[in-house]
Amino acid sequence: MSQSDRTAASAPDATVAAREANAKRDKMPPVAGAAGLPGAAASASGIAPVQAQHAEAGAPTLASAPQRGSALPPFTAAASAGGEALTLHAADGYALAAVRYRAIGEERGRLIVAGATGVPQGFYRRFAEFAAARGYTVLTFDYRGVGRSAPASLRGFDGDFLVWGRLDLAAAVAHMANGTVPLYLVGHSYGGHALGLLPEPHKVDGMYVFGTGAGWHGWMPRLERLRVLAMWHVAGPLLVRWKGFLAWSKLGMGEDLPLGVYRQWKHWCGFPNYFFDDPKMRATAEGFGRVRAPIVAVNATDDAWAPPQSRDAFMRGYRNAPWSGVDVHGQRSGLGPIGHMGYFRATAQPLWEAALQWFDGLPRAV
């Protein structure tokens, strides 16, 4: 990792609205798997597929992804799979806590859950059990400095976003890629960034992300914008000066975070397109061009932290990957409020079902 990389540290209604990523773009068909959501074809339902965006002519599209006819088995509590705790070792030797949920029945594929910043892996247990009951082996894990992968104290601890993707997620990929069934990524918030940081992104055959965005306050509704600016310029600096790391738990906003994560996050959230606008991050931004796997990015219109405009700003960085955005209006779709964390609560099962149906419809690359 280069020294420069280490030190750089209002929502619309749910109507079908194609957004332009740049002057060159290929049109894609509706998201395969959005059909699994109630009334996805009609904007009045509250779930609106957004046309995918490309930068290069001839880039692959999801049009080649046929829907397999086999139905997914119904999910019941009795069918859920218990998790198996294990330890992953990153390339630098750091030990990472993980849980593997083995597929029930024939293994359709493997999923890695790349979680959000400061969210421990236990938050994703329900989704992991849900997917395992449908034939997917699932791995959840904690990034270093978070959850059960954290040291006794974060003061002086070395960890940041780049390490989380390049080393921690890479360790999960190395553990799960077996060459016999497809490997997919399910991301939440930062997890949608991490694919582009992998040293070998070609090992991932597709990604379905929830709540991924650029983090810039200008994309947020006014009240959230004021809260975020207060966090970056008042609460955050005071907590860091006091503790030596971002003691986020003192604000009731999640797990405490390493100093490196805080510095990068604050710095990059000052740009409308996150680190893609940072001159010191050009090499990292170029690395996102190596990603060519299909991607679906789902954002709730009441997600104040990552509204659809923020998603589009970040996803343009995956310039060679066929990606499609889906806007979800929780109230209209019957899911209720979603916000930034509701994608993985029990009430979001229709979103999970759509994700698994989309994975099941992708052509097998192994």
Coordinates of all heavy atoms in Angstrom, one line a residue, residues 200-283:
E200 N -7.6 -9.3 -6.2 CA -8.0 -10.2 -7.2 C -9.6 -10.2 -7.4 O -10.2 -11.1 -7.0 CB -7.5 -11.6 -6.9 CG -6.0 -11.8 -6.9 CD -5.6 -13.2 -6.6 OE1 -6.0 -13.7 -5.5 OE2 -4.9 -13.8 -7.4
P201 N -10.1 -9.1 -7.9 CA -11.6 -8.9 -7.9 C -12.2 -9.9 -8.9 O -13.4 -10.2 -8.8 CB -11.8 -7.5 -8.4 CG -10.5 -7.1 -9.1 CD -9.4 -7.9 -8.4
H202 N -11.4 -10.5 -9.8 CA -12.0 -11.5 -10.8 C -12.5 -12.7 -10.1 O -13.2 -13.5 -10.7 CB -10.9 -11.8 -11.8 CG -9.7 -12.5 -11.3 ND1 -8.7 -11.9 -10.7 CD2 -9.5 -13.9 -11.2 CE1 -7.8 -12.8 -10.3 NE2 -8.2 -14.0 -10.5
K203 N -12.1 -13.0 -8.9 CA -12.6 -14.2 -8.2 C -14.0 -14.0 -7.7 O -14.7 -15.0 -7.3 CB -11.7 -14.5 -7.0 CG -10.3 -14.9 -7.3 CD -9.5 -15.3 -6.1 CE -8.1 -15.8 -6.5 NZ -7.3 -16.2 -5.3
V204 N -14.6 -12.8 -7.8 CA -16.0 -12.6 -7.4 C -16.8 -12.5 -8.6 O -16.5 -11.7 -9.6 CB -16.1 -11.3 -6.6 CG1 -17.6 -11.0 -6.3 CG2 -15.3 -11.4 -5.3
D205 N -17.9 -13.3 -8.7 CA -18.7 -13.5 -9.9 C -19.8 -12.5 -10.0 O -20.5 -12.4 -11.1 CB -19.2 -14.9 -10.1 CG -18.0 -15.9 -10.2 OD1 -17.2 -15.7 -11.1 OD2 -17.9 -16.8 -9.3
G206 N -20.1 -11.8 -8.9 CA -21.2 -10.9 -9.0 C -21.4 -10.2 -7.6 O -21.0 -10.8 -6.6
M207 N -21.9 -9.0 -7.5 CA -22.1 -8.3 -6.3 C -23.5 -7.7 -6.2 O -24.0 -7.1 -7.2 CB -21.0 -7.3 -6.1 CG -21.2 -6.5 -4.8 SD -19.8 -5.4 -4.4 CE -20.0 -4.1 -5.6
Y208 N -24.1 -7.8 -5.0 CA -25.4 -7.2 -4.8 C -25.3 -6.4 -3.5 O -24.9 -6.9 -2.4 CB -26.5 -8.3 -4.6 CG -27.9 -7.9 -4.9 CD1 -28.5 -8.2 -6.1 CD2 -28.7 -7.2 -3.9 CE1 -29.8 -7.9 -6.3 CE2 -30.0 -6.9 -4.2 CZ -30.6 -7.2 -5.4 OH -31.9 -6.9 -5.7
V209 N -25.4 -5.1 -3.6 CA -25.1 -4.2 -2.5 C -26.3 -3.4 -2.0 O -27.2 -3.1 -2.9 CB -23.9 -3.3 -2.8 CG1 -22.7 -4.1 -3.1 CG2 -24.3 -2.3 -4.0
F210 N -26.3 -3.1 -0.8 CA -27.4 -2.3 -0.2 C -26.8 -1.0 0.5 O -25.9 -1.1 1.3 CB -28.2 -3.1 0.9 CG -28.8 -4.3 0.4 CD1 -28.2 -5.6 0.4 CD2 -30.1 -4.3 -0.1 CE1 -28.8 -6.7 -0.1 CE2 -30.8 -5.4 -0.6 CZ -30.1 -6.6 -0.6
G211 N -27.4 0.1 0.2 CA -27.0 1.3 0.9 C -25.6 1.8 0.7 O -25.0 2.5 1.5
T212 N -25.0 1.5 -0.5 CA -23.7 2.0 -0.8 C -23.8 3.4 -1.4 O -24.6 3.7 -2.3 CB -23.0 1.1 -1.8 OG1 -22.7 -0.2 -1.1 CG2 -21.7 1.7 -2.4
G213 N -22.9 4.3 -1.0 CA -22.9 5.7 -1.5 C -21.6 6.3 -1.4 O -20.6 5.7 -0.9
A214 N -21.5 7.6 -1.8 CA -20.3 8.3 -1.8 C -20.0 9.0 -0.5 O -18.9 9.5 -0.3 CB -20.3 9.4 -2.9
G215 N -21.0 9.1 0.4 CA -20.7 9.7 1.7 C -20.7 11.2 1.8 O -20.5 11.8 2.9
W216 N -20.8 11.9 0.7 CA -20.7 13.4 0.7 C -21.9 14.0 1.3 O -23.1 13.6 0.9 CB -20.5 13.9 -0.7 CG -20.3 15.3 -0.9 CD1 -19.5 16.2 -0.2 CD2 -21.1 16.2 -1.8 NE1 -19.6 17.5 -0.6 CE2 -20.6 17.5 -1.6 CE3 -22.1 16.0 -2.7 CZ2 -21.1 18.6 -2.3 CZ3 -22.6 17.0 -3.4 CH2 -22.1 18.3 -3.2
H217 N -21.8 14.9 2.2 CA -22.9 15.5 2.9 C -23.9 16.2 1.9 O -25.1 16.3 2.2 CB -22.5 16.5 3.9 CG -21.7 17.6 3.4 ND1 -20.3 17.6 3.2 CD2 -22.1 18.9 2.9 CE1 -19.9 18.7 2.7 NE2 -20.9 19.5 2.5
G218 N -23.4 16.7 0.7 CA -24.2 17.3 -0.2 C -25.3 16.5 -0.9 O -26.3 17.0 -1.4
W219 N -25.1 15.1 -0.8 CA -26.1 14.2 -1.3 C -27.2 14.0 -0.3 O -28.2 13.4 -0.7 CB -25.5 12.9 -1.7 CG -24.4 13.0 -2.8 CD1 -23.1 12.5 -2.7 CD2 -24.6 13.5 -4.1 NE1 -22.5 12.7 -3.8 CE2 -23.3 13.3 -4.7 CE3 -25.6 14.1 -4.8 CZ2 -23.1 13.7 -6.1 CZ3 -25.4 14.5 -6.1 CH2 -24.1 14.3 -6.7
M220 N -27.0 14.4 0.9 CA -28.0 14.0 2.0 C -29.1 15.1 2.2 O -28.9 16.2 1.9 CB -27.2 13.9 3.3 CG -26.1 12.8 3.2 SD -25.1 12.8 4.8 CE -23.8 11.6 4.3
P221 N -30.2 14.6 2.8 CA -31.2 15.6 3.2 C -30.6 16.6 4.2 O -29.6 16.3 4.9 CB -32.3 14.7 3.8 CG -32.1 13.4 3.3 CD -30.6 13.2 3.1
R222 N -31.2 17.8 4.3 CA -30.6 18.9 5.0 C -30.3 18.5 6.5 O -29.2 18.8 7.0 CB -31.6 20.1 5.0 CG -31.1 21.3 5.8 CD -32.0 22.5 5.6 NE -31.5 23.6 6.5 CZ -30.5 24.4 6.2 NH1 -29.8 24.2 5.0 NH2 -30.1 25.4 7.0
L223 N -31.3 17.8 7.2 CA -31.1 17.5 8.6 C -29.9 16.6 8.8 O -29.0 16.8 9.6 CB -32.3 17.0 9.2 CG -32.3 16.6 10.7 CD1 -31.9 17.8 11.5 CD2 -33.6 16.0 11.2
E224 N -29.8 15.5 7.9 CA -28.7 14.6 8.0 C -27.4 15.3 7.7 O -26.4 15.0 8.3 CB -29.0 13.4 7.1 CG -28.0 12.3 7.2 CD -28.1 11.5 8.5 OE1 -29.1 11.7 9.3 OE2 -27.2 10.7 8.9
R225 N -27.5 16.2 6.7 CA -26.3 16.9 6.3 C -25.7 17.7 7.5 O -24.5 17.6 7.7 CB -26.6 17.9 5.2 CG -25.5 18.7 4.6 CD -26.0 19.7 3.6 NE -27.0 19.0 2.7 CZ -27.8 19.7 1.9 NH1 -27.8 21.0 1.9 NH2 -28.6 19.0 1.1
L226 N -26.5 18.3 8.3 CA -26.1 19.1 9.4 C -25.5 18.1 10.5 O -24.5 18.5 11.1 CB -27.2 19.9 10.0 CG -27.8 21.0 9.1 CD1 -29.0 21.7 9.7 CD2 -26.7 22.0 8.8
R227 N -26.2 17.0 10.7 CA -25.7 16.0 11.7 C -24.3 15.5 11.3 O -23.4 15.4 12.1 CB -26.6 14.8 11.8 CG -27.9 15.1 12.5 CD -28.9 14.0 12.4 NE -30.1 14.2 13.0 CZ -31.2 13.5 12.8 NH1 -31.2 12.6 11.8 NH2 -32.3 13.8 13.5
V228 N -24.1 15.2 10.0 CA -22.8 14.7 9.6 C -21.7 15.7 9.7 O -20.6 15.4 10.1 CB -23.0 14.2 8.1 CG1 -21.6 13.9 7.5 CG2 -23.8 12.9 8.1
L229 N -22.0 16.9 9.3 CA -21.0 18.0 9.4 C -20.6 18.2 10.9 O -19.4 18.4 11.2 CB -21.5 19.3 8.8 CG -21.7 19.3 7.3 CD1 -22.3 20.6 6.8 CD2 -20.3 19.1 6.6
A230 N -21.6 18.1 11.8 CA -21.3 18.2 13.2 C -20.4 17.1 13.7 O -19.5 17.3 14.5 CB -22.6 18.3 14.0
M231 N -20.7 15.9 13.1 CA -19.8 14.7 13.5 C -18.4 14.9 13.0 O -17.5 14.7 13.8 CB -20.4 13.4 12.9 CG -19.6 12.2 13.3 SD -20.3 10.7 12.5 CE -19.8 10.9 10.8
W232 N -18.2 15.3 11.8 CA -16.9 15.5 11.2 C -16.1 16.6 11.9 O -14.9 16.5 12.1 CB -16.9 15.7 9.7 CG -17.4 14.5 8.9 CD1 -18.2 14.6 7.8 CD2 -17.1 13.1 9.1 NE1 -18.4 13.3 7.3 CE2 -17.7 12.4 8.0 CE3 -16.3 12.4 10.0 CZ2 -17.6 11.0 7.9 CZ3 -16.2 11.0 9.9 CH2 -16.9 10.4 8.8
H233 N -16.8 17.7 12.2 CA -16.0 18.9 12.6 C -16.1 19.2 14.1 O -15.4 20.1 14.6 CB -16.5 20.1 11.8 CG -16.3 19.9 10.3 ND1 -15.0 19.9 9.7 CD2 -17.2 19.7 9.3 CE1 -15.1 19.7 8.4 NE2 -16.4 19.5 8.1
V234 N -17.0 18.5 14.8 CA -17.1 18.8 16.2 C -17.0 17.6 17.1 O -16.0 17.4 17.8 CB -18.5 19.5 16.6 CG1 -18.6 19.8 18.1 CG2 -18.7 20.8 15.7
A235 N -17.9 16.6 17.0 CA -17.9 15.5 17.8 C -16.7 14.5 17.5 O -16.0 14.1 18.4 CB -19.2 14.7 17.7
G236 N -16.5 14.3 16.2 CA -15.4 13.4 15.9 C -14.0 13.8 16.3 O -13.3 13.1 17.0
P237 N -13.6 15.1 16.0 CA -12.3 15.5 16.5 C -12.2 15.5 18.0 O -11.1 15.2 18.6 CB -12.3 17.0 16.0 CG -13.1 17.0 14.8 CD -14.2 16.0 15.1
L238 N -13.3 15.8 18.8 CA -13.2 15.8 20.2 C -13.0 14.4 20.7 O -12.2 14.1 21.7 CB -14.5 16.4 20.8 CG -14.6 17.9 20.7 CD1 -16.0 18.4 21.2 CD2 -13.5 18.7 21.4
L239 N -13.8 13.4 20.2 CA -13.6 12.0 20.6 C -12.2 11.5 20.3 O -11.7 10.8 21.1 CB -14.7 11.2 19.9 CG -16.1 11.4 20.4 CD1 -17.1 10.7 19.5 CD2 -16.3 10.9 21.8
V240 N -11.7 11.8 19.1 CA -10.4 11.3 18.7 C -9.3 11.9 19.6 O -8.4 11.2 20.0 CB -10.1 11.7 17.2 CG1 -8.7 11.5 16.9 CG2 -11.0 10.8 16.3
R241 N -9.4 13.2 19.9 CA -8.5 13.8 20.8 C -8.5 13.2 22.2 O -7.5 13.0 22.9 CB -8.7 15.3 20.9 CG -7.6 16.1 21.6 CD -7.9 17.6 21.6 NE -8.0 18.1 20.2 CZ -9.1 18.7 19.7 NH1 -10.2 18.8 20.4 NH2 -9.1 19.1 18.4
W242 N -9.7 12.8 22.6 CA -9.9 12.3 24.0 C -9.4 10.8 24.0 O -8.7 10.4 24.9 CB -11.4 12.3 24.3 CG -11.8 11.7 25.6 CD1 -11.0 11.5 26.7 CD2 -13.0 11.1 25.9 NE1 -11.7 10.8 27.7 CE2 -13.0 10.5 27.2 CE3 -14.2 10.9 25.2 CZ2 -14.1 9.9 27.8 CZ3 -15.3 10.3 25.7 CH2 -15.2 9.8 27.0
K243 N -9.8 10.0 23.0 CA -9.6 8.5 23.1 C -8.4 8.1 22.2 O -7.9 7.0 22.4 CB -10.9 7.8 22.6 CG -12.0 7.9 23.6 CD -11.7 7.1 24.9 CE -13.0 7.0 25.7 NZ -12.7 6.2 26.9
G244 N -8.1 8.8 21.2 CA -7.0 8.3 20.2 C -7.6 7.5 19.1 O -6.8 7.0 18.3
F245 N -8.9 7.4 19.0 CA -9.6 6.7 18.0 C -11.0 7.3 17.9 O -11.4 8.1 18.8 CB -9.6 5.2 18.2 CG -10.2 4.8 19.5 CD1 -11.5 4.5 19.7 CD2 -9.3 4.6 20.6 CE1 -12.0 4.1 21.0 CE2 -9.8 4.2 21.9 CZ -11.2 4.0 22.0
L246 N -11.8 6.9 16.9 CA -13.2 7.4 16.9 C -14.1 6.5 17.8 O -14.5 5.4 17.5 CB -13.7 7.3 15.4 CG -15.2 7.9 15.3 CD1 -15.2 9.3 15.7 CD2 -15.6 7.8 13.8
A247 N -14.3 7.1 19.0 CA -15.1 6.4 20.0 C -16.6 6.5 19.6 O -17.4 7.2 20.3 CB -14.9 6.9 21.4
W248 N -17.0 5.9 18.5 CA -18.3 6.1 17.9 C -19.4 5.6 18.9 O -20.5 6.1 18.8 CB -18.4 5.3 16.6 CG -19.1 6.1 15.5 CD1 -19.5 7.4 15.5 CD2 -19.5 5.5 14.3 NE1 -20.1 7.7 14.3 CE2 -20.1 6.6 13.5 CE3 -19.5 4.3 13.7 CZ2 -20.7 6.4 12.3 CZ3 -20.0 4.1 12.4 CH2 -20.6 5.1 11.7
S249 N -19.1 4.6 19.7 CA -20.1 4.1 20.6 C -20.6 5.2 21.6 O -21.7 5.1 22.1 CB -19.5 2.9 21.4 OG -18.4 3.3 22.1
K250 N -19.7 6.2 21.9 CA -20.2 7.2 22.7 C -21.3 8.1 22.1 O -22.0 8.7 22.9 CB -19.0 8.2 23.0 CG -17.8 7.5 23.7 CD -18.1 6.9 25.0 CE -16.9 6.2 25.7 NZ -17.3 5.6 27.0
L251 N -21.4 8.0 20.8 CA -22.5 8.7 20.1 C -23.7 7.8 19.9 O -24.7 8.2 19.3 CB -22.0 9.3 18.8 CG -20.8 10.3 18.9 CD1 -20.4 10.7 17.5 CD2 -21.2 11.5 19.7
G252 N -23.6 6.5 20.3 CA -24.6 5.6 20.0 C -24.8 5.2 18.5 O -25.9 4.9 18.0
M253 N -23.7 5.3 17.8 CA -23.7 5.2 16.3 C -23.0 3.9 15.8 O -22.8 3.7 14.6 CB -23.1 6.4 15.6 CG -23.8 7.7 15.9 SD -23.1 9.1 15.1 CE -23.4 8.7 13.4
G254 N -22.7 3.0 16.7 CA -22.1 1.7 16.3 C -20.8 1.5 17.0 O -20.5 2.0 18.1
E255 N -20.0 0.6 16.4 CA -18.7 0.2 17.0 C -17.7 1.3 17.0 O -17.7 2.2 16.1 CB -18.1 -1.0 16.3 CG -18.9 -2.3 16.4 CD -18.5 -3.1 17.6 OE1 -17.3 -3.3 17.8 OE2 -19.4 -3.6 18.3
D256 N -16.8 1.3 18.0 CA -15.6 2.3 17.9 C -14.8 1.9 16.7 O -14.7 0.7 16.2 CB -14.8 2.2 19.1 CG -15.5 2.6 20.4 OD1 -16.5 3.4 20.2 OD2 -15.2 2.2 21.5
L257 N -14.1 2.9 16.1 CA -13.4 2.7 14.8 C -11.9 3.1 15.0 O -11.6 4.1 15.7 CB -14.0 3.5 13.7 CG -15.5 3.1 13.3 CD1 -16.1 4.1 12.4 CD2 -15.5 1.7 12.8
P258 N -11.0 2.4 14.3 CA -9.6 2.8 14.3 C -9.4 4.2 13.8 O -10.2 4.7 13.0 CB -9.0 1.8 13.4 CG -9.9 0.6 13.4 CD -11.3 1.2 13.5
L259 N -8.3 4.9 14.3 CA -8.0 6.2 13.8 C -7.9 6.3 12.3 O -8.3 7.3 11.7 CB -6.8 6.7 14.5 CG -6.3 8.1 14.2 CD1 -7.3 9.1 14.7 CD2 -4.9 8.4 15.0
G260 N -7.3 5.4 11.7 CA -7.1 5.4 10.3 C -8.4 5.4 9.5 O -8.5 6.1 8.5
V261 N -9.4 4.6 10.0 CA -10.7 4.6 9.3 C -11.3 6.0 9.4 O -11.8 6.6 8.5 CB -11.6 3.6 10.0 CG1 -13.0 3.7 9.5 CG2 -11.0 2.2 9.7
Y262 N -11.3 6.6 10.6 CA -11.8 7.9 10.8 C -11.2 9.0 9.9 O -11.9 9.7 9.3 CB -11.7 8.4 12.3 CG -11.8 9.8 12.5 CD1 -13.1 10.4 12.5 CD2 -10.7 10.7 12.8 CE1 -13.3 11.8 12.7 CE2 -10.9 12.0 13.0 CZ -12.2 12.6 13.0 OH -12.3 13.9 13.1
R263 N -9.9 9.0 9.8 CA -9.2 10.0 9.0 C -9.6 9.9 7.5 O -9.8 10.8 6.9 CB -7.7 9.9 9.2 CG -7.2 10.4 10.6 CD -5.8 10.2 10.8 NE -5.3 10.9 12.0 CZ -4.1 10.7 12.5 NH1 -3.2 9.8 12.0 NH2 -3.7 11.4 13.6
Q264 N -9.6 8.6 7.0 CA -9.9 8.4 5.6 C -11.4 8.8 5.4 O -11.7 9.4 4.4 CB -9.6 7.0 5.2 CG -8.2 6.6 5.2 CD -8.0 5.2 4.8 OE1 -8.8 4.3 5.0 NE2 -6.8 4.8 4.3
W265 N -12.2 8.3 6.2 CA -13.7 8.6 6.1 C -14.0 10.0 6.0 O -14.7 10.5 5.1 CB -14.4 7.9 7.2 CG -15.8 7.5 6.9 CD1 -16.5 7.6 5.7 CD2 -16.8 7.0 7.9 NE1 -17.8 7.2 5.9 CE2 -18.0 6.8 7.2 CE3 -16.7 6.7 9.2 CZ2 -19.1 6.3 7.8 CZ3 -17.8 6.2 9.8 CH2 -19.0 6.0 9.1
K266 N -13.5 10.8 7.0 CA -13.7 12.2 7.1 C -13.2 12.9 5.8 O -13.8 13.8 5.2 CB -13.1 12.8 8.3 CG -13.2 14.3 8.4 CD -12.5 14.8 9.7 CE -12.6 16.4 9.8 NZ -11.9 16.9 11.0
H267 N -12.0 12.5 5.4 CA -11.3 13.2 4.3 C -12.1 12.9 3.0 O -12.4 13.8 2.2 CB -9.9 12.7 4.1 CG -9.1 13.3 3.0 ND1 -8.9 14.6 2.9 CD2 -8.6 12.7 1.9 CE1 -8.2 14.9 1.8 NE2 -8.0 13.7 1.1
W268 N -12.4 11.6 2.7 CA -13.0 11.3 1.4 C -14.5 11.7 1.4 O -15.0 12.0 0.3 CB -12.9 9.8 1.2 CG -11.5 9.4 1.0 CD1 -10.5 10.1 0.4 CD2 -10.9 8.1 1.3 NE1 -9.3 9.4 0.4 CE2 -9.5 8.2 0.9 CE3 -11.4 6.9 1.8 CZ2 -8.6 7.1 1.1 CZ3 -10.5 5.8 2.0 CH2 -9.2 5.9 1.6
C269 N -15.2 11.8 2.5 CA -16.5 12.3 2.5 C -16.6 13.8 2.2 O -17.7 14.3 2.0 CB -17.2 12.0 3.8 SG -17.7 10.2 4.0
G270 N -15.5 14.4 2.1 CA -15.5 15.8 1.7 C -15.5 16.0 0.2 O -15.6 17.1 -0.3
F271 N -15.5 14.9 -0.6 CA -15.6 14.9 -2.0 C -16.9 14.4 -2.5 O -17.4 13.4 -2.0 CB -14.5 14.1 -2.6 CG -13.1 14.5 -2.3 CD1 -12.3 13.8 -1.4 CD2 -12.5 15.7 -2.9 CE1 -11.0 14.2 -1.1 CE2 -11.2 16.1 -2.6 CZ -10.5 15.3 -1.7
P272 N -17.5 15.0 -3.5 CA -18.8 14.5 -4.0 C -18.8 13.1 -4.5 O -19.8 12.3 -4.4 CB -19.2 15.5 -5.2 CG -18.5 16.8 -4.8 CD -17.2 16.3 -4.1
N273 N -17.6 12.7 -5.0 CA -17.5 11.3 -5.6 C -16.5 10.5 -4.7 O -15.8 9.6 -5.2 CB -17.0 11.3 -7.0 CG -18.0 12.0 -7.9 OD1 -19.1 11.6 -8.1 ND2 -17.6 13.2 -8.5
Y274 N -16.4 10.8 -3.4 CA -15.6 10.1 -2.5 C -14.1 10.1 -3.0 O -13.7 11.1 -3.5 CB -16.2 8.6 -2.3 CG -15.8 8.0 -1.0 CD1 -16.1 8.5 0.2 CD2 -15.1 6.8 -1.0 CE1 -15.8 7.9 1.4 CE2 -14.8 6.1 0.2 CZ -15.2 6.7 1.4 OH -14.8 6.1 2.6
F275 N -13.4 9.0 -2.8 CA -12.0 9.0 -3.1 C -11.7 9.1 -4.6 O -10.5 9.3 -5.0 CB -11.2 7.9 -2.4 CG -11.6 6.5 -2.7 CD1 -11.8 6.0 -4.0 CD2 -11.8 5.6 -1.6 CE1 -12.2 4.7 -4.2 CE2 -12.2 4.3 -1.9 CZ -12.4 3.8 -3.1
F276 N -12.7 8.9 -5.4 CA -12.4 9.1 -6.9 C -12.1 10.5 -7.2 O -11.5 10.7 -8.3 CB -13.7 8.6 -7.7 CG -14.0 7.2 -7.5 CD1 -15.1 6.8 -6.8 CD2 -13.2 6.2 -8.1 CE1 -15.4 5.4 -6.6 CE2 -13.5 4.9 -7.9 CZ -14.6 4.5 -7.2
D277 N -12.4 11.5 -6.3 CA -12.0 12.9 -6.5 C -10.7 13.2 -5.9 O -10.3 14.4 -6.0 CB -13.1 13.8 -6.0 CG -14.4 13.8 -6.8 OD1 -14.4 13.3 -7.9 OD2 -15.5 14.2 -6.3
D278 N -10.1 12.3 -5.1 CA -8.9 12.6 -4.4 C -7.7 12.4 -5.3 O -7.4 11.3 -5.7 CB -8.8 11.7 -3.1 CG -7.7 12.1 -2.2 OD1 -6.8 12.9 -2.7 OD2 -7.6 11.5 -1.1
P279 N -6.9 13.4 -5.6 CA -5.8 13.2 -6.5 C -4.8 12.2 -6.0 O -4.1 11.6 -6.8 CB -5.1 14.6 -6.5 CG -6.2 15.6 -6.2 CD -7.1 14.8 -5.2
K280 N -4.7 12.0 -4.6 CA -3.7 11.1 -4.1 C -4.2 9.6 -4.2 O -3.5 8.7 -3.9 CB -3.5 11.4 -2.6 CG -2.8 12.7 -2.3 CD -2.6 12.9 -0.8 CE -1.9 14.3 -0.6 NZ -1.7 14.5 0.9
M281 N -5.5 9.5 -4.6 CA -6.0 8.1 -4.7 C -6.2 7.6 -6.2 O -7.0 6.7 -6.4 CB -7.4 8.1 -4.0 CG -7.2 8.3 -2.5 SD -6.3 6.9 -1.7 CE -7.5 5.6 -2.0
R282 N -5.5 8.2 -7.1 CA -5.7 7.9 -8.5 C -5.4 6.4 -8.8 O -6.1 5.7 -9.6 CB -4.9 8.8 -9.4 CG -5.4 10.2 -9.5 CD -4.5 11.1 -10.3 NE -5.1 12.5 -10.3 CZ -4.4 13.5 -10.6 NH1 -3.2 13.5 -11.0 NH2 -5.0 14.7 -10.6
A283 N -4.3 5.9 -8.2 CA -4.0 4.5 -8.4 C -5.1 3.6 -7.9 O -5.5 2.6 -8.5 CB -2.7 4.1 -7.7

